Amino acid sequence: MRTDALHAVRLARMDLKLLGRNTTAMVNVVLLPFLFGLMFSQMGDQTFVLTGLPGLMVVFAVFVNLVNTFTARREELVLKRLRGGQGSSAAIFGGAALSAFAVYAGQVALLAVWIDRAGGGLPANVPMMLVAGVLGVGVFALLAAAFSGITPNAELAQVAVLPVLLVALIGAPLVVPLADLPFVARLVPTTPITEMMRMGYAGGPWADALPWIGVLLVWLGIAVLLVKWLFRWDPRHG
């Protein structure tokens, strides 16, 4: 257990270094969510939009980032070498999720500063936001692993993520309140994150967050099944 944890931390540090050296990935993963937030905040209540922005950020910081990472490493035989080394499969997935969580946490922290400067104040219930973040990263890291299995190569990874990105943009209550959206919007995996982050800022009670935690746990189970079904360690052309 300790060996796997140490291996996951080492892999996470490596991932963060590689991300920092990749200008294109930094723009897509880190800056694009803030640009969307700036654009959408002009369309409605700024505080409402910005407090829900972490629901969109998780798609970029975790899903878009890791689909590309898993696919590229699979095709370059990196995943196969890692699996044959000291770390277990759990350590490999854990390292990827940990690096993505670090990026996501940094984005949410910068967003909190932005909201505070805009007059929205600081979060009132940080633990609730942390729970939403951890569960959200877990769900989208596993979904990224599953989607990488049906992505032929890293060049097509940006195309593979578009359906999920569009659902996150259109189906989640980022600009429009959830009450004004169809019921199916409640089942979109970004919706629980968006709603819990808003409740965290407003200091909402945990009782209101429990149904959303339940939705995320269901998605976590679905994502695990998808990984077992779709994820590939070997190159698709091999």
Side-chain angles (χ1 to χ4, degrees):
M1 181 71 72
R2 183 180 178 185
T3 300
D4 282 347
L6 292 174
H7 193 65
V9 171
R10 286 196 293 267
L11 288 175
R13 291 175 61 185
M14 179 186 70
D15 285 350
L16 290 173
K17 287 181 181 179
L18 292 175
L19 179 63
R21 295 171 184 172
N22 189 331
T23 304
T24 302
M26 284 290 289
V27 171
N28 291 339
V29 171
V30 179
L31 295 182
L32 272 183
F34 287 102
L35 293 177
F36 275 114
L38 182 62
M39 179 178 66
F40 289 141
S41 64
Q42 309 303 314
M43 300 167 56
D45 180 82
Q46 185 181 45
T47 301
F48 178 83
V49 172
L50 293 182
T51 53
L53 192 60
L56 179 61
M57 285 177 163
V58 71
V59 179
F60 286 93
V62 183
F63 185 74
V64 173
N65 180 17
L66 293 186
V67 168
N68 183 72
T69 297
F70 283 132
T71 304
R73 289 182 180 175
R74 182 197 68 217
E75 295 303 303
E76 294 168 0
L77 299 176
V78 174
L79 284 180
K80 196 169 184 178
R81 289 196 295 270
L82 287 173
R83 195 185 188 194
Q86 295 179 347
S88 65
S89 300
I92 295 170
F93 285 121
L98 185 60
S99 65
F101 180 79
V103 174
Y104 182 58
Q107 287 179 312
V108 174
L110 289 174
L111 179 65
V113 175
W114 182 4
I115 295 172
D116 184 50
R117 293 294 181 89
L122 293 173
N125 192 340
V126 174
M128 182 183 293
M129 296 175 65
L130 183 61
V131 170
V134 170
L135 290 176
V137 169
V139 168
F140 279 97
L142 290 171
L143 288 177
F147 267 71
S148 74
I150 59 174
T151 305
N153 52 60
E155 287 74 20
L156 292 177
Q158 301 305 315
V159 177
V161 302
L162 285 179
V164 175
L165 185 57
L166 288 174
V167 169
L169 286 171
I170 300 172
L174 180 61
V175 179
V176 180
L178 185 60
D180 296 336
L181 293 174
F183 178 81
V184 70
R186 298 174 180 272
L187 305 179
V188 175
T190 49
T191 295
I193 305 168
T194 302
E195 292 298 297
M196 286 183 67
M197 289 292 180
R198 284 200 177 110
M199 283 190 283
Y201 266 95
W206 279 96
D208 291 344
L210 290 178
W212 297 123
I213 293 175
V215 174
L216 285 174
L217 290 175
V218 170
W219 268 107
L220 199 62
I222 293 172
V224 169
L225 294 176
L226 289 175
V227 169
K228 291 181 178 180
W229 181 31
L230 299 173
F231 185 74
R232 299 169 61 103
W233 293 97
D234 298 316
R236 289 178 61 90
H237 55 72

